C-alpha cells in the first residue's frame, strides 16, 4: 500500500509543504519564500510568523490537490518543531497537530538539522556510517551519522554560523540579503588571495569553528578604504568567501580522517555555494571518500527534507503525541 507522509517546514522565513510517498519518493513540494524581510536586511520574527499564518493553509491545499488525495489518505504528519523562531515554529506545529488530530494519524516532530542531513536521502539512498557538514544561516556543525536516526555532533561553531558570516559580510559590502548567493556571485569577479582574512581555530586539533573574528576583520578592512569600488568589493567578497570555505573544508577533512568514513554529505543553505563544494570535493574526494550534496533546491530550507525525514521516523515506528512542543535551540539527538 502506498503511504503518504506530509512534511511541513516553517522554522524561519520559508513556508513549505511536501508529500513523500513510500513507493514513489517525493511526489510534490512547494515553498513560498517571504520577501517582506529584504528591506530590513534580515528576518523579522513577527513578520515571519504572520506570513506563515497567511500562507500555510493555501499552500497545503495546493499540495493536496496536486497529488489528488484527501486527509484520510495521509499516513503521518511530519513537521519541524525546532530549532528555529518560536512564533514561526508554532504556526507549523499547530497546523500539523490539527491535521494529525482531525485525520487520526500520527504526528512526527523532525529536528530541522536532521531535515538538512536527510535532504541527501530525497533522491538517492544514503550510505552509513558517514559524516555530514551542516552549514546554514543558523548552524555550522560536523555530525557523525552512524545511520538514519543515530547522530553525534562532533564539531560546532562557537559563535556565528557560516551562513550568518556570509550574511553579515554581505551587509558590510552593501550587498543584498541573503548574503551567501550575493557574495558568491560578486566573488567570481574578485581575487581569492587579495586579502588574507583570519581562519579561526586553525590547527587547534578540534573540530570547532568560529566566524565572529572574520566578520570583524572584514569590517576593519572595509573601514580602511575611503570608497568601496566594485573591484574592491569583489576582492573582499572573494577573499572572505575563501576564508570561510578554507576553514570549513579543512575541518571537514580532519573529521573524515579521524572518523575514517567513506561517505561525506554537505547540507544546509551554504551547501549551495559552488566554491565550497569544489574545495570539499578536492580535499576529501582525493582521500577516496564519496562526497555528496543535495540538489540546490534542497540545500536551502524546504519541506521535502522534512517529509523525507518523517517518512523514516514513520518506517521505524517513531511518532509523537499531541503534547509535542517547539524548541528554539538544541542539538540533534538520536531517536533510534
Ligand atoms: O538552510 P537555510 O536556507 O536556512 C537556515 O536554516 O538557516 O540557509 C540560509 C543561509 C543564509 O545564511 C544564506 O546566506 C546561505 O544559507 N546561502 C549561501 C548560499 N545560498 C544560501 N551561502 C553561501 N553561498 C550560497 N550560494
Ligand atoms: Zn535550515
Amino acid at each position: 500500500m502506498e503511504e503518504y507522509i506530509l512534511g511541513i517546514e516553517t522554522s524561519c522565513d520559508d513556508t513549505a509543504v511536501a508529500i513523500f510517498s513510500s513507493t514513489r519518493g517525493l511526489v510534490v513540494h512547494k515553498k513560498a519564500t517571504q520577501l517582506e524581510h529584504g528591506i530590513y536586511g534580515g528576518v523579522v520574527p513577527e513578520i515571519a510568523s504572520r506570513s506563515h499564518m497567511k500562507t500555510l493553509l493555501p499552500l497545503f491545499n495546493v499540495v493536496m490537490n496536486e497529488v489528488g488525495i484527501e486527509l484520510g489518505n495521509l499516513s503521518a504528519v511530519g513537521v519541524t518543531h525546532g530549532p528555529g523562531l518560536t512564533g514561526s515554529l508554532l504556526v507549523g506545529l499547530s497546523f500539523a497537530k490539527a491535521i494529525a488530530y482531525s485525520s487520526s494519524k500520527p504526528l512526527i516532530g523532525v529536528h530541522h538539522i536532521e531535515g538538512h542531513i536527510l535532504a541527501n536521502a530525497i533522491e538517492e539512498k544514503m550510505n552509513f556510517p558517514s559524516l555530514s557538514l551542516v552549514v546554514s544561516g543558523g548552524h555550522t556543525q560536523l555530525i557523525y551519522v552512524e545511520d538514519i536516526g543515530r547522530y553525534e555532533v562532533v564539531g560546532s561553531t562557537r559563535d556565528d554560523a557560516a551562513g550568518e558570516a556570509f550574511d553579515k559580510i554581505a551587509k558590510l559590502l552593501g550587498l543584498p540579503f541573503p548574503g551567501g548567493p550575493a557574495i558568491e556571485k560578486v566573488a567570481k569577479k574578485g581575487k581569492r588571495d587579495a586579502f588574507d582574512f583570519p581562519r579561526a581555530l586553525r590547527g587547534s586539533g578540534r573540530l570547532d569553528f568560529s566566524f565572529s573574528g572574520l566578520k570583524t576583520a572584514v569590517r576593519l578592512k572595509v573601514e580602511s578604504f575611503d570608497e568601496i569600488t566594485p573591484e574592491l568589493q569583489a576582492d573582499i567578497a572573494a577573499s572572505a568567501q575563501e576564508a570561510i570555505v578554507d576553514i570549513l573544508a579543512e575541518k571537514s577533512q580532519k573529521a573524515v580522517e579521524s572518523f575514517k568514513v567513506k561517505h561525506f554529505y554537505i547540507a544546509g543553505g551554504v551547501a549551495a555555494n559552488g566554491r565550497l563544494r569544489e574545495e570539499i570535493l578536492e580535499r576529501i574526494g582525493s582521500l577516496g571518500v564519496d562526497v555528496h550534496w543535495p540538489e540546490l533546491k534542497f540545500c536551502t530550507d524546504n519541506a521535502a527534507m522534512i517529509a523525507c525525514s518523517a517518512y523514516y521516523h514513520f518506517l521505524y515506528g517513531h511518532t509523537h503525541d499531541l503534547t509535542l512542543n517547539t524548541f528554539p535551540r538544541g542539538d540533534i539527538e538520536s531517536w533510534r
Side-chain angles (χ1 to χ4, degrees), residues 42-122:
V43 176
V44 183
E46 181 63 24
I47 294 177
S49 53
R50 280 167 193 255
S51 178
H52 287 307
M53 282 203 282
K54 268 192 273 173
T55 316
L56 189 50
L57 180 59
L59 205 61
F60 168 76
N61 286 332
V62 168
V63 162
M64 295 294 279
N65 284 337
E66 201 159 298
V67 187
I69 57 171
E70 297 181 356
L71 277 191
N73 300 112
L74 293 173
S75 294
V77 181
V79 61
T80 305
H81 65 128
L85 302 170
T86 299
S88 293
L89 288 165
L90 277 171
V91 177
L93 180 60
S94 309
F95 186 83
K97 282 182 181 177
I99 301 285
Y101 181 71
S102 55
S103 62
S104 304
K105 294 296 156 59
L107 177 72
I108 296 172
V110 176
H111 192 288
H112 185 74
I113 297 304
E114 178 177 44
H116 276 304
I117 295 172
L118 298 187
N120 283 287
I122 295 171

Side-chain angles (χ1 to χ4, degrees), residues 4-336:
Y4 291 105
I5 314 294
L6 179 70
I8 296 170
E9 159 63 45
T10 62
S11 67
C12 193
D13 60 338
D14 294 304
T15 317
V17 180
I19 289 179
F20 198 88
S21 140
S22 57
T23 55
R24 292 184 284 151
L26 182 67
V27 281
V28 60
H29 69 105
K30 299 271 175 222
K31 157 164 146 174
T33 299
Q34 304 173 0
L35 303 174
E36 302 94 305
H37 307 282
I39 51 166
Y40 302 101
V43 176
V44 183
E46 181 63 24
I47 294 177
S49 53
R50 280 167 193 255
S51 178
H52 287 307
M53 282 203 282
K54 268 192 273 173
T55 316
L56 189 50
L57 180 59
L59 205 61
F60 168 76
N61 286 332
V62 168
V63 162
M64 295 294 279
N65 284 337
E66 201 159 298
V67 187
I69 57 171
E70 297 181 356
L71 277 191
N73 300 112
L74 293 173
S75 294
V77 181
V79 61
T80 305
H81 65 128
L85 302 170
T86 299
S88 293
L89 288 165
L90 277 171
V91 177
L93 180 60
S94 309
F95 186 83
K97 282 182 181 177
I99 301 285
Y101 181 71
S102 55
S103 62
S104 304
K105 294 296 156 59
L107 177 72
I108 296 172
V110 176
H111 192 288
H112 185 74
I113 297 304
E114 178 177 44
H116 276 304
I117 295 172
L118 298 187
N120 283 287
I122 295 171
E123 293 187 305
E124 46 182 277
K125 207 172 161 297
M126 288 178 73
N127 297 289
F128 306 105
S130 64
L131 270 163
S132 204
L133 172 70
V134 181
V135 269
S136 71
H139 306 270
T140 299
Q141 289 192 319
L142 275 161
I143 296 166
Y144 178 74
V145 185
E146 192 188 320
D147 200 345
I148 285 178
R150 299 209 54 83
Y151 310 104
E152 185 193 348
V153 177
V154 296
S156 286
T157 181
R158 296 184 182 177
D159 40 56
D160 294 350
E164 197 178 352
F166 270 107
D167 294 336
K168 288 177 175 170
I169 290 167
K171 205 168 185 178
L172 290 169
L173 290 173
L175 293 168
F177 177 84
I183 292 213
E184 182 174 16
K185 189 164 168 229
V186 169
K188 290 203 169 81
K189 290 175 265 165
K191 293 186 286 299
R192 288 176 200 168
D193 56 356
F195 303 103
D196 188 18
F197 289 128
R199 274 76 164 156
L201 306 179
R202 165 170 274 176
S204 68
R206 304 189 43 141
L207 298 173
D208 291 354
F209 305 90
S210 165
F211 294 104
S212 63
L214 170 65
K215 175 191 62 191
T216 308
V218 172
R219 182 174 56 77
L220 293 174
K221 183 60 71 186
V222 168
E223 285 170 5
S224 73
F225 296 101
D226 292 335
E227 187 201 349
I228 300 294
T229 61
E231 292 76 18
L232 208 44
Q233 187 191 51
D235 282 349
I236 295 175
S239 303
Q241 173 174 267
E242 203 57 19
I244 297 172
V245 163
D246 194 19
I247 203 73
L248 288 175
E250 185 181 302
K251 299 270 173 166
S252 298
Q253 181 181 347
K254 205 169 266 178
V256 162
E257 286 167 348
S258 59
F259 286 89
K260 299 188 176 44
V261 295
K262 290 276 167 250
H263 296 274
F264 190 85
Y265 294 90
I266 320 176
V270 183
N273 189 279
R275 179 70 196 109
L276 176 67
R277 296 202 302 257
E278 178 184 62
E279 186 64 20
I280 288 198
L281 195 55
E282 197 176 311
R283 284 208 223 181
I284 296 180
S286 62
L287 302 173
V289 172
D290 285 331
V291 178
H292 318 256
W293 51 75
E295 224 186 288
L296 279 192
K297 59 177 179 281
F298 301 136
C299 286
T300 47
D301 289 349
N302 64 86
M305 68 186 197
I306 303 304
C308 177
S309 303
Y311 166 69
Y312 283 102
H313 284 252
F314 177 73
L315 208 60
Y316 291 111
H318 182 250
T319 63
H320 296 100
D321 61 32
L322 296 177
T323 61
L324 184 71
N325 220 334
T326 60
F327 57 98
R329 62 190 78 80
D331 280 350
I332 185 171
E333 285 176 7
S334 294
W335 49 265
R336 275 177 70 206

